[in-house]
Amino acid sequence: MSGGLLVAGTTSDAGKSVVTAGICRWLARQGVRVAPFKAQNMSLNSFVTREGAEIGRAQAMQAQACRIEPTALMNPVLLKPGGEQSSQVVLLGRPVGEMSARGYHGGRQQRLLGTVLDCLAELRRTYDAVICEGAGSPAEINLRRTDIVNMGIARGARLPVLVVGDIDRGGVFASFFGTLALLAPEDQELVAGFLVNKFRGDVSLLEPGLDMLRDLTGRRTYGVLPFRHGLGIDEEDGLRVSLRGAVRESAVAPPVGEDVLRVAVCAIPLMSNFTDVDALAAEPGVVVRFVDRPEELADADLVIVPGTRGTVRALEWLRARGLADALVRRAASQRPVLGICGGFQILGEHIEDEVESRAGAVAGLGLLPVRVRFAREKTLARPAGRALGEPVEGYEIHHGVASVEGGEPFLDGCRSGQTWGTHWHGSLESDRFRRAFLREVAAAAGRRFVPAPDTSFAALREEQLDRLGDLIEQHADTDALWRLIESGAPQGLPFIPPGAPA
């Protein structure tokens, strides 16, 4: 068998990533050798594979759902926005330059179709099934001519398509029908049916609408997935909560000690890998919030300046908002601050950037004895070591090269008083290191907080992936889904006018 499926969506954030992960985990539990694939991803949340390739974190998470190591084949094109009009293009795990949206869609994208089809074909030769994720909507008629991630890849590889709709937004029937009706006949014949996501209530009340949708389109609905809190793991497009919401929506055990620990994350522009704080949010008694005002740092026991695709721009934003002054005051009073990647660079004394912002020499906040020079070659690595007496590993994605000129060693960076900085993403997922770091923070903050002795972030991720697999197994027609993956879209599906414009 060499089956496949494309999970498309009526909109961005319809649930394509988690549905793809759920199908992958369901298949893996059946003993199927399965792999994920997304031809083109636009995201500032990325990951480094064992071979040193940069891919979207969503595909790394889906590979984990498949119980396999992620590779560059699973996300051959990654676009990392650097502003409103341009993105860094990462091809097969390596950056190949900056490009405007007009330049990319004006010709470069279509030339990559052969590359992404080759990557998909190689995965299909290796695995029993490949579950592909689309991007945005397949009915973006202005982009169809150059599409390589939705119907372009489906038609090129003859993949059946399942369209996911978020019913929690409302208008799901119109979205399903309209999506189909704006596709060309050759694309419509690959759309096998629909999957309703985030349903609340009694499914029997929805069923008459599903029957009418089948009468209108000739296509069935393969499942109705109920709404579940806390399933938005490693998403692509932005924060999965409102700016001042808690990171974790699902219930967490009460704190082990007498106090909670409050963590404030500066919501800087072009924030990258905000998933770094997920491991903190999984700790009983740790409350994590994203903030954008200096007064919101006042009651925080730890402030994190996260990674960013625009270090100098983020530094300017912090200064304009008054957050820079608040961070300086915190450091002077020995209250904990942690900078990660771009945040680490911001906390240093000096930045020389002729690559990312081309701003030249820029003064940092001066909280760490570090000088940063931006190199054209991007550092992509999977380091491991020890810190605070505990084993720790992470991954690096940065153009900035840091020269540490003082302080105490901390991972690849340094510590000065209660201000810490490192380029390592993902270090807080190392359980023993995370607990040691939180004990340091609690002591400095004067909190009677005690880290839970048995929190395993890896086990929590596995539980979350199993919950996604359970959703598919319990609420989708898995027999029909298997036939779709194995045999392709049913023959003779009707065309729904008007179809795509000429």
Side-chain angles (χ1 to χ4, degrees):
M1 172 191 172
S2 180
L5 174 69
L6 175 69
V7 179
T10 56
T11 62
S12 294
D13 204 31
K16 297 183 291 291
S17 294
V18 294
V19 167
T20 300
I23 294 173
C24 286
R25 176 49 61 100
W26 161 64
L27 288 171
R29 293 197 303 210
Q30 309 307 307
V32 177
R33 294 181 308 129
V34 57
F37 179 79
K38 185 162 185 172
Q40 173 194 292
N41 200 342
M42 178 172 280
S43 178
L44 288 173
N45 280 345
S46 58
F47 184 74
V48 180
T49 67
R50 292 287 179 196
E51 72 268 30
E54 185 180 7
I55 66 171
R57 271 200 69 106
Q59 279 60 65
M61 175 268 291
Q62 291 160 0
Q64 186 178 350
C66 298
R67 299 178 174 143
I68 59 175
E69 276 289 325
T71 72
L73 291 174
M74 298 170 186
N75 179 206
V77 181
L78 174 63
L79 305 178
K80 303 191 73 173
E84 296 296 325
Q85 300 293 330
S86 67
S87 294
Q88 183 181 64
V89 180
V90 179
L91 180 62
L92 293 173
R94 295 288 173 181
V96 294
E98 296 279 335
M99 188 166 289
S100 69
R102 180 182 293 273
Y104 184 69
H105 290 287
R108 177 64 182 270
Q109 184 183 34
Q110 182 63 24
R111 291 196 296 272
L112 293 173
L113 180 59
T115 299
V116 301
L117 286 172
D118 287 346
C119 291
L120 176 57
E122 186 169 343
L123 287 173
R124 296 183 78 176
R125 284 191 294 269
T126 306
Y127 294 93
D128 299 327
V130 179
I131 308 303
C132 308
E133 180 189 342
S137 162
E140 291 167 349
I141 53 179
N142 56 314
L143 302 177
R144 176 63 186 91
R145 183 178 60 84
T146 58
D147 170 49
I148 64 169
V149 66
N150 289 305
M151 301 313 299
I153 196 80
R155 200 191 297 189
R158 302 306 299 171
L159 292 171
V161 179
L162 187 67
V163 180
V164 177
D166 179 358
I167 198 170
D168 201 46
R169 295 172 178 233
V172 74
F173 292 118
S175 297
F176 282 145
F177 185 88
T179 297
L180 184 64
L182 281 176
L183 299 179
E186 297 84 355
D187 290 341
Q188 286 195 25
E189 69 182 25
L190 296 173
V191 178
F194 312 105
L195 186 77
V196 177
N197 192 27
K198 300 183 186 177
F199 179 74
R200 307 172 193 249
D202 185 346
V203 176
S204 66
L205 299 177
L206 186 67
E207 287 171 348
L210 301 179
D211 292 339
M212 286 185 271
L213 182 66
R214 183 165 190 165
D215 291 341
L216 286 166
T217 66
R219 290 157 175 87
R220 58 167 299 165
T221 297
Y222 284 76
V224 178
L225 307 186
F227 187 95
R228 291 286 185 267
H229 284 285
L231 293 180
I233 53 177
D234 289 4
E235 296 187 58
E236 299 168 357
D237 300 322
L239 300 182
R240 57 187 166 279
V241 291
S242 63
L243 182 61
R244 293 177 185 83
V247 172
R248 187 182 176 96
E249 297 175 338
S250 53
V252 184
V256 174
E258 297 178 46
D259 286 345
V260 298
L261 208 62
R262 296 174 176 85
V263 179
V265 185
C266 296
I268 56 180
L270 299 175
M271 184 172 10
S272 62
N273 288 67
F274 56 78
T275 50
D276 282 333
V277 303
D278 283 356
L280 293 180
E283 280 284 347
V286 176
V287 180
V288 180
R289 295 180 307 147
F290 289 91
V291 302
D292 65 349
R293 297 197 297 252
E295 58 268 26
E296 294 176 299
L297 305 189
D299 67 344
D301 303 306
L302 169 66
V303 173
I304 295 178
V305 186
T308 173
R309 249 283 276 155
T311 299
V312 171
R313 176 177 168 183
L315 177 57
E316 293 170 348
W317 181 89
L318 288 167
R319 287 182 166 134
R321 291 267 177 158
L323 285 158
D325 290 339
L327 289 167
V328 171
R329 290 193 297 271
R330 279 189 69 91
S333 59
Q334 296 299 307
R335 301 181 68 197
V337 176
L338 171 64
I340 302 174
C341 200
F344 167 41
Q345 298 164 7
I346 285 169
L347 299 182
E349 296 172 346
H350 180 84
I351 299 168
E352 191 74 34
D353 182 11
E354 299 292 352
V355 176
E356 190 176 76
S357 68
R358 297 182 176 85
V362 178
L365 296 186
L367 307 185
L368 290 173
V370 173
R371 299 178 71 84
V372 176
R373 176 186 56 82
F374 273 70
R376 297 199 177 278
E377 187 73 18
K378 181 184 282 191
T379 297
L380 297 170
R382 289 280 292 269
R386 294 184 69 85
L388 304 179
E390 301 293 353
V392 57
E393 58 184 47
Y395 57 99
E396 295 183 59
I397 306 170
H398 54 93
H399 283 279
V401 178
S403 297
V404 178
E405 301 177 351
E408 301 174 42
F410 176 65
L411 302 175
D412 70 318
C414 66
R415 169 188 183 180
S416 178
Q418 290 301 322
T419 301
W420 316 63
T422 176
H423 276 127
W424 290 21
H425 294 289
S427 64
L428 294 168
E429 296 179 17
S430 297
D431 297 326
R432 288 164 55 186
F433 167 75
R434 181 180 66 253
R435 287 193 278 271
F437 178 70
L438 289 176
R439 282 192 290 268
E440 291 261 359
V441 169
R447 293 286 185 188
R448 290 170 294 182
F449 168 84
V450 178
D454 55 355
T455 301
S456 167
F457 186 70
L460 289 171
R461 294 302 299 269
E462 280 296 304
E463 289 174 14
Q464 215 166 13
L465 291 169
D466 276 331
R467 290 174 66 200
L468 295 180
D470 292 343
L471 278 178
I472 298 300
E473 193 166 330
Q474 296 168 11
H475 300 283
D477 185 338
T478 53
D479 288 340
L481 199 56
W482 177 253
R483 289 193 299 272
L484 189 62
I485 293 167
E486 190 175 32
S487 305
Q491 297 296 307
L493 293 171
F495 170 70
I496 305 301

